[in-house]
Amino acid sequence: MGVMTPKHTGVMTTALHIALITDTFAPEINGVANTLGHLYDGLRARNHRIELIRPRQTDDGNQRSNDGLMLCRGWPLPGYPGLQWGLTSTHRLTKRWRQQPPDVVYIATEGPLGLCALRVARRLGITAITRFHNYFQQYLRQHGLTLFTRALTHYLRWFHNRSALTLVPSTSQRVELERRHFERLDLLPRGVDSQLFNPAKRQNALRQSWGLRENDIALLYVGRLAPEKNLDALKRCFDELQARYPARRFKLIVVGDGAKRAVLEAALPEAIFCGQQSGHALACHFASADVFLFPSLGETFGNVVLEAQASGLGVVAYDEAAAGLHIRHGYNGVLAMPGDEYAWIEAACWLLENPETLRTLRLNARRHASRQSWPGIIEQFENQLRRACQGCAGAAAAAVQIAAKKT
């Protein structure tokens, strides 16, 4: 292990050497990359040594691997521009970790790169922790490959059950995985930067560029424009709101990009498509809207739900993942049972029936999200890493004692 470092409590703790393995990382824009960026920065701020292992990105230029970064080859993932599989050799990773073994390996994605890291960690006796994502099942379903879903589920269960601990982002995900016989699960939710995502970022000039007057309602969607996001529901919800409240004026704002953008633009000619946004610009788009429509099903979490709440929006979502974890129906958002599109649309209609209801709910959403800070999540993650290391060390010591008694 590394050097002794002080914590805020004044107790001396040991800094860890943590290897973080992922197929995606900033500046790529997605929920996994966003979460890992916060964990990476937070752990470094707490004086841990972080070794990042990821595929080479287009803006890496001539950058080479070093003690804190191992770049590997990447192969594009069909249908998802900008995303790729990471590939490396077992020999290369074994040689690296024999020279400088990490205390713990955190595997954030379950592709070939993650599998290689898991095998090497087990071979060298290094504690490995994994993170579950359901991205692959969605990918197969949306590309007509459902016959492979059962085989993939077997692989994911085998993969994660070979780690010391598997972290999941929501209680609903944990229950589902326990039902499928995944072992040693623990909850690690995601946080939100409530200073960045803030109602104070609301811009009248941006709303005017969308063609909105002061009392008009901006209905916002933020996310990847991909088949698994159930985006056809946006049009049906928008049409119903217009029919239900003809005296009011609505505008649908779509932020994001993806394979389904052209289809959506044709189906929603009255909507404003803003493309992919990030950082301050994204925060301004959130804060300048009024209601966040999130029709996605099958999310492991959905960072945008918390970002919308932190921005003071009324969120309409299904009762799962981040929405199920952070929304109290009728208090700081509205929910529908997963898959019940009629109830989801009715929830949106109820939310917009009374302006005072919407105003109160938006205040409660902001208040709740402001308590979901990243520092608390990072401390929880640090404790999970330490416990996993201690548990593996204890198991190894017990095995040595048993072997000694037999001899």
Side-chain angles (χ1 to χ4, degrees):
M1 292 206 176
V3 298
M4 301 295 287
T5 59
K7 267 186 83 174
H8 302 297
T9 59
V11 179
M12 300 298 288
T13 59
T14 306
L16 297 173
H17 174 186
I18 304 163
L20 192 159
I21 292 84
T22 178
D23 289 316
T24 181
F25 198 74
E28 294 169 349
I29 300 175
N30 57 67
V32 177
N34 176 58
T35 299
L36 288 174
H38 284 286
L39 294 178
Y40 178 87
D41 291 339
L43 289 171
R44 291 188 66 187
R46 298 171 78 90
N47 296 317
H48 296 291
R49 176 187 169 189
I50 311 300
E51 176 186 359
L52 179 62
I53 300 174
R54 61 166 176 82
R56 183 177 291 277
Q57 299 171 341
T58 54
D59 60 350
D60 283 326
N62 295 321
Q63 185 174 10
R64 296 184 177 183
S65 299
N66 52 53
D67 287 347
L69 175 66
M70 175 177 164
L71 298 173
C72 57
R73 290 177 299 157
W75 289 92
L77 194 58
Y80 290 85
L83 296 180
Q84 57 185 344
W85 298 104
L87 299 172
T88 191
S89 69
T90 300
H91 172 75
R92 182 186 178 198
L93 197 54
T94 300
K95 180 180 178 181
R96 182 181 179 93
W97 284 351
R98 275 183 173 155
Q99 292 175 344
Q100 297 188 58
D103 298 304
V104 59
V105 172
Y106 177 62
I107 304 172
T109 49
E110 307 105 323
L113 178 59
L115 177 59
C116 179
L118 181 62
R119 284 175 167 167
V120 173
R122 287 175 59 86
R123 183 178 300 170
L124 298 180
I126 301 170
T127 302
I129 293 178
T130 57
R131 178 80 168 193
F132 183 86
H133 300 284
N134 68 350
Y135 172 79
F136 300 124
Q137 290 102 315
Q138 291 179 1
Y139 181 84
L140 292 177
R141 185 168 58 249
Q142 295 302 326
H143 288 78
L145 300 173
T146 53
L147 291 175
F148 295 96
T149 301
R150 178 174 292 183
L152 179 61
T153 300
H154 283 299
Y155 163 73
L156 290 174
R157 181 169 52 238
W158 173 87
F159 179 93
H160 289 287
N161 285 353
R162 290 170 69 82
S163 69
L165 184 69
T166 296
L167 302 180
V168 295
S170 68
T171 51
S172 60
Q173 188 78 69
R174 181 174 184 169
V175 169
E176 174 64 18
L177 292 180
E178 286 176 340
R179 188 177 69 82
R180 295 179 181 272
H181 308 294
F182 284 68
E183 302 168 355
R184 296 180 298 281
L185 305 175
D186 202 4
L187 181 67
L188 182 68
R190 298 175 186 173
V192 65
D193 185 346
S194 57
Q195 294 301 311
L196 176 62
F197 295 98
N198 194 310
K201 300 287 177 67
R202 192 175 181 90
Q203 294 183 349
N204 289 330
L206 182 56
R207 286 176 59 85
Q208 290 170 6
S209 74
W210 294 341
L212 292 171
R213 300 186 294 262
E214 183 177 353
N215 294 320
D216 293 341
I217 299 294
L219 306 168
L220 179 69
Y221 169 80
V222 177
R224 191 167 62 251
L225 306 186
E228 72 269 13
K229 296 297 184 178
N230 192 34
L231 299 177
D232 293 338
L234 290 175
K235 177 174 174 55
R236 292 188 283 272
C237 183
F238 182 75
D239 290 345
E240 181 62 26
L241 287 171
Q242 286 188 311
R244 191 81 63 96
Y245 306 113
R248 304 178 72 178
R249 190 162 176 266
F250 301 97
K251 180 69 75 171
L252 180 60
I253 312 299
V254 180
V255 174
D257 211 344
K260 204 171 181 182
R261 177 167 177 171
V263 174
L264 286 171
E265 286 180 324
L268 295 165
E270 69 279 11
I272 304 292
F273 284 79
C274 303
Q276 195 164 268
Q277 304 289 329
S278 63
H280 176 75
L282 176 59
C284 292
H285 279 70
F286 266 113
S288 300
D290 303 290
V291 173
F292 184 66
L293 299 178
F294 195 56
S296 182
L297 291 161
E299 296 282 332
T300 51
F301 192 75
N303 296 39
V304 290
V305 169
L306 266 179
E307 291 166 357
Q309 286 190 301
S311 302
L313 304 190
V315 178
V316 184
Y318 287 106
D319 188 7
E320 61 178 14
L325 193 63
H326 290 291
I327 292 178
R328 285 173 52 194
H329 179 69
Y331 175 75
N332 63 353
V334 287
L335 298 169
M337 289 298 294
D340 189 344
E341 185 176 297
Y342 174 80
W344 183 77
I345 293 174
E346 282 297 306
C349 292
W350 176 85
L351 180 62
L352 288 163
E353 186 174 320
N354 187 326
E356 184 58 26
T357 297
L358 177 59
R359 188 189 74 83
T360 302
L361 187 144
R362 292 176 64 178
L363 289 172
N364 292 337
R366 168 61 187 176
R367 189 176 298 116
H368 171 81
S370 65
R371 296 193 291 267
Q372 313 308 312
S373 67
W374 274 112
I377 302 297
I378 291 161
E379 182 173 358
Q380 180 180 339
F381 181 50
E382 179 189 47
N383 291 333
Q384 289 167 326
L385 294 174
R386 291 190 184 282
R387 285 198 301 271
C389 289
Q390 292 166 359
C392 289
V400 170
Q401 290 179 351
I402 292 173
K405 289 179 181 180
K406 288 182 178 179
T407 57

PDB file of all heavy atoms in Angstrom, residues 354-377:
ATOM      1  N   ASN A 354     -51.989  22.502 -12.762  1.00  0.00           N
ATOM      2  CA  ASN A 354     -52.032  23.635 -11.840  1.00  0.00           C
ATOM      3  C   ASN A 354     -50.637  24.255 -11.749  1.00  0.00           C
ATOM      4  O   ASN A 354     -49.696  23.602 -11.300  1.00  0.00           O
ATOM      5  CB  ASN A 354     -52.491  23.145 -10.456  1.00  0.00           C
ATOM      6  CG  ASN A 354     -52.713  24.293  -9.484  1.00  0.00           C
ATOM      7  OD1 ASN A 354     -52.014  25.311  -9.531  1.00  0.00           O
ATOM      8  ND2 ASN A 354     -53.691  24.139  -8.601  1.00  0.00           N
ATOM      9  N   PRO A 355     -50.477  25.527 -12.150  1.00  0.00           N
ATOM     10  CA  PRO A 355     -49.151  26.166 -12.088  1.00  0.00           C
ATOM     11  C   PRO A 355     -48.543  26.173 -10.697  1.00  0.00           C
ATOM     12  O   PRO A 355     -47.317  26.059 -10.551  1.00  0.00           O
ATOM     13  CB  PRO A 355     -49.430  27.597 -12.581  1.00  0.00           C
ATOM     14  CG  PRO A 355     -50.646  27.455 -13.436  1.00  0.00           C
ATOM     15  CD  PRO A 355     -51.480  26.395 -12.785  1.00  0.00           C
ATOM     16  N   GLU A 356     -49.362  26.280  -9.662  1.00  0.00           N
ATOM     17  CA  GLU A 356     -48.837  26.305  -8.302  1.00  0.00           C
ATOM     18  C   GLU A 356     -48.265  24.936  -7.913  1.00  0.00           C
ATOM     19  O   GLU A 356     -47.244  24.849  -7.220  1.00  0.00           O
ATOM     20  CB  GLU A 356     -49.923  26.706  -7.315  1.00  0.00           C
ATOM     21  CG  GLU A 356     -49.450  26.856  -5.875  1.00  0.00           C
ATOM     22  CD  GLU A 356     -48.334  27.891  -5.706  1.00  0.00           C
ATOM     23  OE1 GLU A 356     -48.244  28.824  -6.523  1.00  0.00           O
ATOM     24  OE2 GLU A 356     -47.547  27.752  -4.748  1.00  0.00           O
ATOM     25  N   THR A 357     -48.908  23.869  -8.370  1.00  0.00           N
ATOM     26  CA  THR A 357     -48.391  22.519  -8.118  1.00  0.00           C
ATOM     27  C   THR A 357     -47.013  22.355  -8.749  1.00  0.00           C
ATOM     28  O   THR A 357     -46.077  21.841  -8.118  1.00  0.00           O
ATOM     29  CB  THR A 357     -49.345  21.459  -8.689  1.00  0.00           C
ATOM     30  OG1 THR A 357     -50.603  21.550  -8.010  1.00  0.00           O
ATOM     31  CG2 THR A 357     -48.780  20.058  -8.514  1.00  0.00           C
ATOM     32  N   LEU A 358     -46.877  22.795  -9.987  1.00  0.00           N
ATOM     33  CA  LEU A 358     -45.594  22.703 -10.672  1.00  0.00           C
ATOM     34  C   LEU A 358     -44.529  23.522  -9.959  1.00  0.00           C
ATOM     35  O   LEU A 358     -43.392  23.069  -9.781  1.00  0.00           O
ATOM     36  CB  LEU A 358     -45.738  23.160 -12.128  1.00  0.00           C
ATOM     37  CG  LEU A 358     -44.442  23.188 -12.958  1.00  0.00           C
ATOM     38  CD1 LEU A 358     -43.799  21.809 -13.017  1.00  0.00           C
ATOM     39  CD2 LEU A 358     -44.733  23.703 -14.364  1.00  0.00           C
ATOM     40  N   ARG A 359     -44.879  24.726  -9.536  1.00  0.00           N
ATOM     41  CA  ARG A 359     -43.915  25.589  -8.862  1.00  0.00           C
ATOM     42  C   ARG A 359     -43.406  24.939  -7.567  1.00  0.00           C
ATOM     43  O   ARG A 359     -42.192  24.905  -7.306  1.00  0.00           O
ATOM     44  CB  ARG A 359     -44.552  26.939  -8.542  1.00  0.00           C
ATOM     45  CG  ARG A 359     -43.560  27.991  -8.012  1.00  0.00           C
ATOM     46  CD  ARG A 359     -44.282  29.217  -7.502  1.00  0.00           C
ATOM     47  NE  ARG A 359     -44.927  28.936  -6.226  1.00  0.00           N
ATOM     48  CZ  ARG A 359     -44.284  28.983  -5.048  1.00  0.00           C
ATOM     49  NH1 ARG A 359     -42.990  29.275  -4.987  1.00  0.00           N
ATOM     50  NH2 ARG A 359     -44.928  28.728  -3.938  1.00  0.00           N
ATOM     51  N   THR A 360     -44.315  24.400  -6.750  1.00  0.00           N
ATOM     52  CA  THR A 360     -43.934  23.768  -5.483  1.00  0.00           C
ATOM     53  C   THR A 360     -43.076  22.535  -5.716  1.00  0.00           C
ATOM     54  O   THR A 360     -42.064  22.310  -5.034  1.00  0.00           O
ATOM     55  CB  THR A 360     -45.194  23.388  -4.684  1.00  0.00           C
ATOM     56  OG1 THR A 360     -45.975  24.569  -4.445  1.00  0.00           O
ATOM     57  CG2 THR A 360     -44.821  22.755  -3.355  1.00  0.00           C
ATOM     58  N   LEU A 361     -43.486  21.741  -6.682  1.00  0.00           N
ATOM     59  CA  LEU A 361     -42.746  20.521  -6.974  1.00  0.00           C
ATOM     60  C   LEU A 361     -41.329  20.835  -7.441  1.00  0.00           C
ATOM     61  O   LEU A 361     -40.366  20.148  -7.073  1.00  0.00           O
ATOM     62  CB  LEU A 361     -43.520  19.716  -8.010  1.00  0.00           C
ATOM     63  CG  LEU A 361     -43.025  18.318  -8.349  1.00  0.00           C
ATOM     64  CD1 LEU A 361     -44.205  17.396  -8.599  1.00  0.00           C
ATOM     65  CD2 LEU A 361     -42.138  18.365  -9.588  1.00  0.00           C
ATOM     66  N   ARG A 362     -41.172  21.889  -8.239  1.00  0.00           N
ATOM     67  CA  ARG A 362     -39.847  22.273  -8.723  1.00  0.00           C
ATOM     68  C   ARG A 362     -38.946  22.723  -7.574  1.00  0.00           C
ATOM     69  O   ARG A 362     -37.748  22.403  -7.542  1.00  0.00           O
ATOM     70  CB  ARG A 362     -39.965  23.375  -9.769  1.00  0.00           C
ATOM     71  CG  ARG A 362     -40.615  22.913 -11.074  1.00  0.00           C
ATOM     72  CD  ARG A 362     -40.809  24.038 -12.057  1.00  0.00           C
ATOM     73  NE  ARG A 362     -39.537  24.597 -12.493  1.00  0.00           N
ATOM     74  CZ  ARG A 362     -39.417  25.569 -13.383  1.00  0.00           C
ATOM     75  NH1 ARG A 362     -40.498  26.106 -13.934  1.00  0.00           N
ATOM     76  NH2 ARG A 362     -38.223  26.010 -13.739  1.00  0.00           N
ATOM     77  N   LEU A 363     -39.503  23.435  -6.613  1.00  0.00           N
ATOM     78  CA  LEU A 363     -38.726  23.849  -5.444  1.00  0.00           C
ATOM     79  C   LEU A 363     -38.269  22.642  -4.638  1.00  0.00           C
ATOM     80  O   LEU A 363     -37.121  22.571  -4.179  1.00  0.00           O
ATOM     81  CB  LEU A 363     -39.555  24.790  -4.568  1.00  0.00           C
ATOM     82  CG  LEU A 363     -39.829  26.197  -5.121  1.00  0.00           C
ATOM     83  CD1 LEU A 363     -40.811  26.937  -4.233  1.00  0.00           C
ATOM     84  CD2 LEU A 363     -38.520  26.984  -5.228  1.00  0.00           C
ATOM     85  N   ASN A 364     -39.170  21.683  -4.460  1.00  0.00           N
ATOM     86  CA  ASN A 364     -38.826  20.475  -3.707  1.00  0.00           C
ATOM     87  C   ASN A 364     -37.765  19.649  -4.435  1.00  0.00           C
ATOM     88  O   ASN A 364     -36.899  19.045  -3.800  1.00  0.00           O
ATOM     89  CB  ASN A 364     -40.076  19.629  -3.475  1.00  0.00           C
ATOM     90  CG  ASN A 364     -41.056  20.288  -2.525  1.00  0.00           C
ATOM     91  OD1 ASN A 364     -40.669  21.132  -1.726  1.00  0.00           O
ATOM     92  ND2 ASN A 364     -42.315  19.906  -2.613  1.00  0.00           N
ATOM     93  N   ALA A 365     -37.838  19.631  -5.756  1.00  0.00           N
ATOM     94  CA  ALA A 365     -36.844  18.885  -6.544  1.00  0.00           C
ATOM     95  C   ALA A 365     -35.458  19.469  -6.348  1.00  0.00           C
ATOM     96  O   ALA A 365     -34.477  18.739  -6.138  1.00  0.00           O
ATOM     97  CB  ALA A 365     -37.239  18.909  -8.020  1.00  0.00           C
ATOM     98  N   ARG A 366     -35.352  20.763  -6.420  1.00  0.00           N
ATOM     99  CA  ARG A 366     -34.069  21.427  -6.224  1.00  0.00           C
ATOM    100  C   ARG A 366     -33.532  21.173  -4.813  1.00  0.00           C
ATOM    101  O   ARG A 366     -32.347  20.867  -4.629  1.00  0.00           O
ATOM    102  CB  ARG A 366     -34.216  22.938  -6.467  1.00  0.00           C
ATOM    103  CG  ARG A 366     -33.027  23.776  -6.029  1.00  0.00           C
ATOM    104  CD  ARG A 366     -31.753  23.415  -6.767  1.00  0.00           C
ATOM    105  NE  ARG A 366     -30.591  24.117  -6.202  1.00  0.00           N
ATOM    106  CZ  ARG A 366     -29.342  23.929  -6.605  1.00  0.00           C
ATOM    107  NH1 ARG A 366     -29.057  23.073  -7.557  1.00  0.00           N
ATOM    108  NH2 ARG A 366     -28.367  24.604  -6.044  1.00  0.00           N
ATOM    109  N   ARG A 367     -34.397  21.257  -3.824  1.00  0.00           N
ATOM    110  CA  ARG A 367     -33.985  21.056  -2.437  1.00  0.00           C
ATOM    111  C   ARG A 367     -33.437  19.637  -2.237  1.00  0.00           C
ATOM    112  O   ARG A 367     -32.424  19.436  -1.563  1.00  0.00           O
ATOM    113  CB  ARG A 367     -35.177  21.311  -1.513  1.00  0.00           C
ATOM    114  CG  ARG A 367     -34.823  21.355  -0.027  1.00  0.00           C
ATOM    115  CD  ARG A 367     -36.033  21.716   0.824  1.00  0.00           C
ATOM    116  NE  ARG A 367     -36.550  23.040   0.491  1.00  0.00           N
ATOM    117  CZ  ARG A 367     -37.755  23.273  -0.016  1.00  0.00           C
ATOM    118  NH1 ARG A 367     -38.575  22.279  -0.278  1.00  0.00           N
ATOM    119  NH2 ARG A 367     -38.148  24.517  -0.262  1.00  0.00           N
ATOM    120  N   HIS A 368     -34.118  18.664  -2.828  1.00  0.00           N
ATOM    121  CA  HIS A 368     -33.664  17.273  -2.691  1.00  0.00           C
ATOM    122  C   HIS A 368     -32.322  17.056  -3.394  1.00  0.00           C
ATOM    123  O   HIS A 368     -31.392  16.466  -2.821  1.00  0.00           O
ATOM    124  CB  HIS A 368     -34.714  16.321  -3.284  1.00  0.00           C
ATOM    125  CG  HIS A 368     -34.235  14.907  -3.383  1.00  0.00           C
ATOM    126  ND1 HIS A 368     -34.239  14.040  -2.303  1.00  0.00           N
ATOM    127  CD2 HIS A 368     -33.714  14.205  -4.436  1.00  0.00           C
ATOM    128  CE1 HIS A 368     -33.741  12.874  -2.686  1.00  0.00           C
ATOM    129  NE2 HIS A 368     -33.421  12.947  -3.958  1.00  0.00           N
ATOM    130  N   ALA A 369     -32.208  17.514  -4.625  1.00  0.00           N
ATOM    131  CA  ALA A 369     -30.988  17.263  -5.398  1.00  0.00           C
ATOM    132  C   ALA A 369     -29.772  17.941  -4.782  1.00  0.00           C
ATOM    133  O   ALA A 369     -28.651  17.421  -4.883  1.00  0.00           O
ATOM    134  CB  ALA A 369     -31.187  17.734  -6.834  1.00  0.00           C
ATOM    135  N   SER A 370     -29.971  19.073  -4.146  1.00  0.00           N
ATOM    136  CA  SER A 370     -28.838  19.790  -3.560  1.00  0.00           C
ATOM    137  C   SER A 370     -28.189  19.006  -2.425  1.00  0.00           C
ATOM    138  O   SER A 370     -27.053  19.304  -2.028  1.00  0.00           O
ATOM    139  CB  SER A 370     -29.283  21.167  -3.058  1.00  0.00           C
ATOM    140  OG  SER A 370     -30.207  21.037  -1.985  1.00  0.00           O
ATOM    141  N   ARG A 371     -28.896  17.986  -1.918  1.00  0.00           N
ATOM    142  CA  ARG A 371     -28.327  17.147  -0.855  1.00  0.00           C
ATOM    143  C   ARG A 371     -27.609  15.906  -1.400  1.00  0.00           C
ATOM    144  O   ARG A 371     -27.028  15.140  -0.635  1.00  0.00           O
ATOM    145  CB  ARG A 371     -29.434  16.714   0.118  1.00  0.00           C
ATOM    146  CG  ARG A 371     -30.087  17.864   0.884  1.00  0.00           C
ATOM    147  CD  ARG A 371     -30.921  17.347   2.037  1.00  0.00           C
ATOM    148  NE  ARG A 371     -32.105  16.632   1.570  1.00  0.00           N
ATOM    149  CZ  ARG A 371     -33.305  17.180   1.385  1.00  0.00           C
ATOM    150  NH1 ARG A 371     -33.480  18.473   1.632  1.00  0.00           N
ATOM    151  NH2 ARG A 371     -34.325  16.458   0.971  1.00  0.00           N
ATOM    152  N   GLN A 372     -27.664  15.697  -2.715  1.00  0.00           N
ATOM    153  CA  GLN A 372     -27.046  14.503  -3.318  1.00  0.00           C
ATOM    154  C   GLN A 372     -25.664  14.875  -3.878  1.00  0.00           C
ATOM    155  O   GLN A 372     -25.427  14.863  -5.078  1.00  0.00           O
ATOM    156  CB  GLN A 372     -27.947  13.947  -4.427  1.00  0.00           C
ATOM    157  CG  GLN A 372     -29.410  13.822  -4.058  1.00  0.00           C
ATOM    158  CD  GLN A 372     -29.636  13.050  -2.767  1.00  0.00           C
ATOM    159  OE1 GLN A 372     -29.068  11.977  -2.577  1.00  0.00           O
ATOM    160  NE2 GLN A 372     -30.464  13.581  -1.886  1.00  0.00           N
ATOM    161  N   SER A 373     -24.753  15.216  -2.988  1.00  0.00           N
ATOM    162  CA  SER A 373     -23.463  15.756  -3.406  1.00  0.00           C
ATOM    163  C   SER A 373     -22.480  14.652  -3.765  1.00  0.00           C
ATOM    164  O   SER A 373     -22.519  13.548  -3.215  1.00  0.00           O
ATOM    165  CB  SER A 373     -22.872  16.625  -2.292  1.00  0.00           C
ATOM    166  OG  SER A 373     -22.539  15.819  -1.174  1.00  0.00           O
ATOM    167  N   TRP A 374     -21.545  14.976  -4.650  1.00  0.00           N
ATOM    168  CA  TRP A 374     -20.499  14.023  -5.027  1.00  0.00           C
ATOM    169  C   TRP A 374     -19.525  13.716  -3.890  1.00  0.00           C
ATOM    170  O   TRP A 374     -19.075  12.573  -3.766  1.00  0.00           O
ATOM    171  CB  TRP A 374     -19.752  14.530  -6.251  1.00  0.00           C
ATOM    172  CG  TRP A 374     -20.421  14.141  -7.530  1.00  0.00           C
ATOM    173  CD1 TRP A 374     -21.047  14.945  -8.428  1.00  0.00           C
ATOM    174  CD2 TRP A 374     -20.539  12.812  -8.062  1.00  0.00           C
ATOM    175  NE1 TRP A 374     -21.553  14.218  -9.482  1.00  0.00           N
ATOM    176  CE2 TRP A 374     -21.250  12.902  -9.277  1.00  0.00           C
ATOM    177  CE3 TRP A 374     -20.128  11.551  -7.626  1.00  0.00           C
ATOM    178  CZ2 TRP A 374     -21.549  11.790 -10.059  1.00  0.00           C
ATOM    179  CZ3 TRP A 374     -20.420  10.434  -8.396  1.00  0.00           C
ATOM    180  CH2 TRP A 374     -21.120  10.563  -9.604  1.00  0.00           C
ATOM    181  N   PRO A 375     -19.140  14.681  -3.037  1.00  0.00           N
ATOM    182  CA  PRO A 375     -18.194  14.340  -1.966  1.00  0.00           C
ATOM    183  C   PRO A 375     -18.657  13.174  -1.095  1.00  0.00           C
ATOM    184  O   PRO A 375     -17.860  12.307  -0.735  1.00  0.00           O
ATOM    185  CB  PRO A 375     -18.079  15.646  -1.169  1.00  0.00           C
ATOM    186  CG  PRO A 375     -18.320  16.706  -2.197  1.00  0.00           C
ATOM    187  CD  PRO A 375     -19.375  16.146  -3.103  1.00  0.00           C
ATOM    188  N   GLY A 376     -19.957  13.133  -0.782  1.00  0.00           N
ATOM    189  CA  GLY A 376     -20.478  12.031   0.024  1.00  0.00           C
ATOM    190  C   GLY A 376     -20.416  10.706  -0.714  1.00  0.00           C
ATOM    191  O   GLY A 376     -20.105   9.659  -0.126  1.00  0.00           O
ATOM    192  N   ILE A 377     -20.705  10.727  -2.017  1.00  0.00           N
ATOM    193  CA  ILE A 377     -20.639   9.513  -2.837  1.00  0.00           C
ATOM    194  C   ILE A 377     -19.200   9.002  -2.917  1.00  0.00           C
ATOM    195  O   ILE A 377     -18.940   7.796  -2.820  1.00  0.00           O
ATOM    196  CB  ILE A 377     -21.177   9.788  -4.250  1.00  0.00           C
ATOM    197  CG1 ILE A 377     -22.620  10.307  -4.190  1.00  0.00           C
ATOM    198  CG2 ILE A 377     -21.066   8.554  -5.122  1.00  0.00           C
ATOM    199  CD1 ILE A 377     -23.613   9.343  -3.614  1.00  0.00           C
TER     200      ILE A 377
END
